[in-house]
Amino acid sequence: MNSCSTILWLTGWSIDDDVFNPLRDQLRSRLPEWRHSVAHYYDAKTPEQMHVIAKVAAHACRQASDGPLLIAGWSLGGLLALRLAGELGAEGLVLLGSTARFIRPRGETDLGWPDAYLRQMSSALKHDRAAVEWNFHKNLFTPRELERGIHEMLPAAGRWPNQALLAGLELLRHEDCRPLLPGIACPVLVVHGQDDIVCPFGAAKELHKSLPRASLLAVEDGGHAPFLGRETEVADAIRSWWYER
């Protein structure tokens, strides 16, 4: 068994894991002793299967190394990361554009989306998948990010089968990690765009307040993918946070 740190990467809804490649490249130059692993839940047919796939990947990371396990989750992947930390434990979490509960009442639009939006997406997926993905991907970025062409860094759509897209929407609708937050004792770095309209910045402040050992990196003019186009800054922040935790 090798003694080294491992990062388990958990991607967001409908997005291929390759979205992390530029950030991983930056981390490899700063933290060369870390190995990187991925949970491929693209083919899951239910939210429960997504949880199982993520859990099996975390167990595999533990078996492959006796060093620390860091779980990095983006959006939907952040919910899975919180669940893993609450159930299995981890030595650290990096939550990118994440939330503890995606669906919120209409009076809490500063924290999340009403359930009706995701129900509409689920219904529309059955008729025009391309339009649903296009509309969602458009919401990932601020106008300034679009001007900078950051959206062109997204991997091509279409990797996730329809069943996995529907399962992911169901997970986003029903997963609630808020009860777990006080018991997650590991250090957590919350990286969140201040202008995120998918997981509003209020969700990041809630995580920062509720997790016992959380640090918050607020990304100015950042949308829902706060690491894209900012890989150098985010990698430096992760390295500093890890060694100062």
Side-chain angles (χ1 to χ4, degrees), residues 58-75:
H59 277 304
C61 290
R62 290 290 195 197
Q63 292 173 351
S65 170
D66 59 358
L69 173 63
L70 175 63
I71 305 175
W74 174 33
S75 193

Side-chain angles (χ1 to χ4, degrees), residues 168-210:
L169 291 177
E170 286 301 295
L171 189 148
L172 288 169
R173 288 184 63 203
H174 299 294
E175 187 69 48
D176 187 355
C177 293
R178 289 174 296 180
L180 299 176
L181 300 184
I184 295 176
C186 67
V188 181
L189 178 62
V190 179
V191 181
H192 212 101
Q194 291 183 324
D195 297 314
D196 189 340
I197 63 172
V198 177
C199 288
F201 191 65
K205 292 191 287 187
E206 180 182 66
L207 289 169
H208 185 224
K209 178 180 178 180
S210 302

Side-chain angles (χ1 to χ4, degrees), residues 6-17:
T6 303
I7 309 178
L8 174 62
W9 295 89
L10 306 174
T11 192
W13 185 79
S14 82
I15 310 293
D16 189 277
D17 173 79

Side-chain angles (χ1 to χ4, degrees), residues 44-153:
K45 297 178 180 178
T46 66
E48 292 74 21
Q49 286 184 3
M50 289 187 166
H51 283 297
V52 169
I53 292 169
K55 187 178 293 188
V56 168
H59 277 304
C61 290
R62 290 290 195 197
Q63 292 173 351
S65 170
D66 59 358
L69 173 63
L70 175 63
I71 305 175
W74 174 33
S75 193
L76 179 149
L79 285 167
L80 292 172
L82 287 167
R83 178 64 62 184
L84 288 176
E87 294 180 352
L88 302 179
E91 280 66 59
L93 295 181
V94 175
L95 301 177
L96 304 158
S98 297
T99 178
R101 172 66 167 152
F102 188 75
I103 293 300
R104 303 295 177 122
R106 289 193 177 274
E108 296 183 3
T109 54
D110 60 324
L111 295 171
W113 285 13
D115 185 49
Y117 288 6
L118 290 196
R119 287 190 280 108
Q120 290 168 4
M121 287 176 67
S122 295
S123 178
L125 262 177
K126 302 168 187 176
H127 308 290
D128 194 346
R129 168 200 171 117
V132 172
E133 287 191 274
W134 186 86
N135 285 325
F136 176 71
H137 292 176
K138 178 183 65 176
N139 286 327
L140 299 181
F141 305 100
T142 68
R144 187 173 178 184
E145 288 175 327
L146 291 172
E147 290 176 3
R148 292 170 56 198
I150 291 178
H151 60 289
E152 297 176 3
M153 298 179 69

